[in-house]
Amino acid sequence: MSTSTIAGQPSVLGTKDRVKTAIAAAVGTSVENYDFIAYGTASALYFGAVFFPESDRFVGTLLSFATLAVGFVMRPLGGAIGGYFADKLGRKPVLVAAMIVMGAATFLIGVLPTYEQVGVLAPVLLVLIRMVQGLAFGAEWGGAITMAYEHAPWHRRGMFAAIPQSGNPLGIALASGVFAWSATLSGDWQWRTPFLLSAVLVIVALIVRSRLSESPEFQEAQASGTTEKNPFLATLRDDWQSILRVIALRVVESFAYYSTATYLLSYITERHPDLRPVALGAITAASILAIAVTFLAGSLTDRIGRRPLYIAACTAAILFAFPMYLLTNTAQPALVIAVFLIGIGVVHASFTGVQGSLLTEQFRTATRTSGASLGYQVAAAVGGFAPLLAAALVGAFGWPGAALLYLGAAIVGLVGILATKETWGRAERERVLALVAEEQRRS
């Protein structure tokens, strides 16, 4: 990170808009996650029957999860496009454009005809819109995180980068809560309403994001002529090892969420339909808990470094892989709730809280959004297949197949963090704190 604090260059104390920028990034991230997670929830609960033939329920579930995965496949392309323009033209325009595209796609899902109404055209349209969703979501994350990170005080970047990350569980909580409420409605309104309501959230987020100021570090790079002519190719050429590390670090987090919130939800409701409201309520409660845990995890990294907390989270995921299914198989509501609270509210939230700063710090300013976005979204594309793979493995081997899948992803994450150097060690913390103290004295 740059250490310069002279006139016209970023201050180690951050910008005056640092809090507003982080909150605005979080608002947008929450809406993007609401839109994207709404699809995952609907895939688990409704789309198998609504958009595919009902002759084989198991096949319908697999096809539904396959359309879910299609969106993830598009995310690396969205990350590459969004990262390219964010590093070349600025972070803000990408954030606004991604929000508009994502909102329009989500609203359109809410008005799609069903398989019963138009036959095979229904799943075709669903897949096309899902592809657009994936592009927009892929373009969004990198810009939101880098904006919050680059506006933040240098000694609090873990905390500030965790604020937009906290928007992830907030969006998840909103989506789960709306689906829990819409389940009381009749007919297709149960799944259409959450998608239609996203239009209101998108309008609010657009108003907030349109008032943001551009990243000071990007403006410095632009003014000094150190931006890359082609950020995408530059990061592939110079930062390919960092991209691979980001992929490994992100795979465990992506699998940890989608194996729990999407596949486990489907697993429970298929075997114990009466537990559907309990599971949906548990996901909502776990997501609310995750908002606080994500923020606290990011704040803690500013004190102890990024690496120790990520190692602890990977270890927790390894230990949780089999107990999560053993507890779920009891069909006891209290234990089902505990599984979601631990899996989403603690384990997954610990990953997301660290990632904002850890992944961003793997790259320099000129390629930061491109590199972080590409690695993050490639891993997301892999993680998007978690529900599909889990369903297939359970069909072949029973629940231990899904537990082993979760365990394998956790081991990949542990190997990834052990191979990653600390970006915020004691020496760096002391150096930056000295710069902060010096600037505070001058001001």
Side-chain angles (χ1 to χ4, degrees):
M1 60 182 70
S2 170
T3 60
S4 181
T5 58
I6 62 174
Q9 295 183 325
S11 165
V12 296
L13 299 178
T15 71
K16 61 182 179 61
D17 293 333
R18 56 189 179 272
V19 174
K20 180 177 71 173
T21 300
I23 293 174
V27 170
T29 304
S30 66
V31 175
E32 293 276 358
N33 274 272
Y34 172 95
D35 290 352
F36 209 71
I37 298 306
Y39 192 101
T41 305
S43 294
L45 300 181
Y46 301 107
F47 284 176
V50 171
F51 287 102
F52 301 98
E54 297 185 19
S55 55
D56 189 324
R57 187 173 182 181
F58 177 69
V59 172
T61 299
L62 287 179
L63 290 173
S64 178
F65 284 147
T67 65
L68 174 69
V70 165
F72 286 90
V73 171
M74 299 302 295
R75 283 175 63 169
L77 179 58
I81 295 172
Y84 174 89
F85 285 110
D87 284 333
K88 193 169 182 66
L89 303 178
R91 322 304 195 199
K92 180 180 174 179
V94 173
L95 294 184
V96 174
M99 181 63 60
I100 293 172
V101 174
M102 187 71 168
T106 304
F107 183 83
L108 286 175
I109 291 175
V111 297
L112 278 179
T114 65
Y115 184 87
E116 184 180 356
Q117 294 170 325
V118 297
V120 72
L121 179 62
V124 169
L125 291 174
L126 182 67
V127 169
L128 290 175
I129 294 176
R130 179 62 176 170
M131 291 171 69
V132 174
Q133 261 197 332
L135 285 171
F137 196 74
E140 206 276 343
W141 180 84
I145 294 298
T146 52
M147 279 283 278
Y149 180 90
E150 292 171 352
H151 275 272
W154 291 10
H155 61 306
R156 291 288 182 267
R157 281 179 157 173
M159 182 188 77
F160 274 82
I163 293 175
Q165 289 288 79
S166 296
N168 296 345
L170 176 59
I172 294 165
L174 287 171
S176 300
V178 170
F179 267 97
W181 165 73
S182 68
T184 64
L185 303 177
S186 59
D188 285 352
W189 291 112
Q190 290 184 339
W191 65 268
R192 291 188 187 277
T193 302
F195 292 101
L196 297 175
L197 287 177
S198 72
V200 177
L201 300 177
V202 168
I203 291 172
V204 172
L206 278 174
I207 293 173
V208 172
R209 281 194 168 178
S210 65
R211 298 174 179 175
L212 292 179
S213 57
E214 184 54 83
S215 157
E217 289 194 18
F218 172 77
Q219 289 179 324
E220 179 194 11
Q222 197 173 44
S224 62
T226 57
T227 55
E228 292 285 350
K229 183 177 181 180
N230 190 321
F232 176 72
L233 293 180
T235 196
L236 287 180
R237 182 187 65 239
D238 302 331
D239 303 320
W240 62 271
Q241 290 179 316
S242 295
I243 292 172
L244 291 178
R245 284 193 293 269
V246 169
I247 291 172
L249 296 171
R250 167 72 167 135
V251 159
V252 56
E253 179 260 311
S254 187
F255 268 77
Y257 180 75
Y258 289 103
S259 294
T260 308
T262 301
Y263 177 70
L264 195 62
L265 174 62
S266 175
Y267 177 88
I268 291 170
T269 55
E270 282 185 5
R271 288 156 181 78
H272 309 285
D274 56 312
L275 287 178
R276 176 188 289 187
V278 173
L280 283 171
I283 292 175
T284 304
S287 299
I288 293 171
L289 172 63
I291 296 170
V293 173
T294 298
F295 179 78
L296 291 174
S299 301
L300 184 58
T301 67
D302 286 327
R303 296 179 177 274
I304 68 171
R306 324 300 188 201
R307 202 165 174 262
L309 199 54
Y310 217 83
I311 291 173
C314 289
T315 303
I318 289 171
L319 297 175
F320 189 57
F322 279 83
M324 68 186 289
Y325 282 94
L326 292 171
L327 294 172
T328 297
N329 288 338
T330 66
Q332 295 296 317
L335 296 180
V336 170
I337 292 171
V339 166
F340 284 110
L341 288 175
I342 296 170
I344 297 174
V346 178
V347 175
H348 179 258
S350 296
F351 288 127
T352 58
V354 183
Q355 280 181 353
S357 54
L358 175 63
L359 304 190
T360 302
E361 287 168 352
Q362 303 302 311
F363 306 93
R364 57 196 172 91
T365 301
T367 60
R368 181 171 289 154
T369 312
S370 296
S373 293
L374 186 59
Y376 189 92
Q377 301 304 345
V378 167
V382 177
F385 285 91
L388 178 63
L389 292 173
L393 288 171
V394 169
F397 306 108
W399 68 265
L404 284 170
L405 181 68
Y406 187 99
L407 176 63
I411 291 173
V412 170
L414 182 60
V415 172
I417 188 60
L418 291 177
T420 301
K421 293 181 180 179
E422 177 61 75
T423 56
W424 187 240
R426 177 176 295 179
E428 179 69 2
R429 295 197 299 272
E430 291 176 352
R431 184 184 72 83
V432 169
L433 286 174
L435 289 173
V436 169
E438 180 182 350
E439 186 162 343
Q440 286 176 332
R441 283 195 300 269
R442 288 204 306 262
S443 60

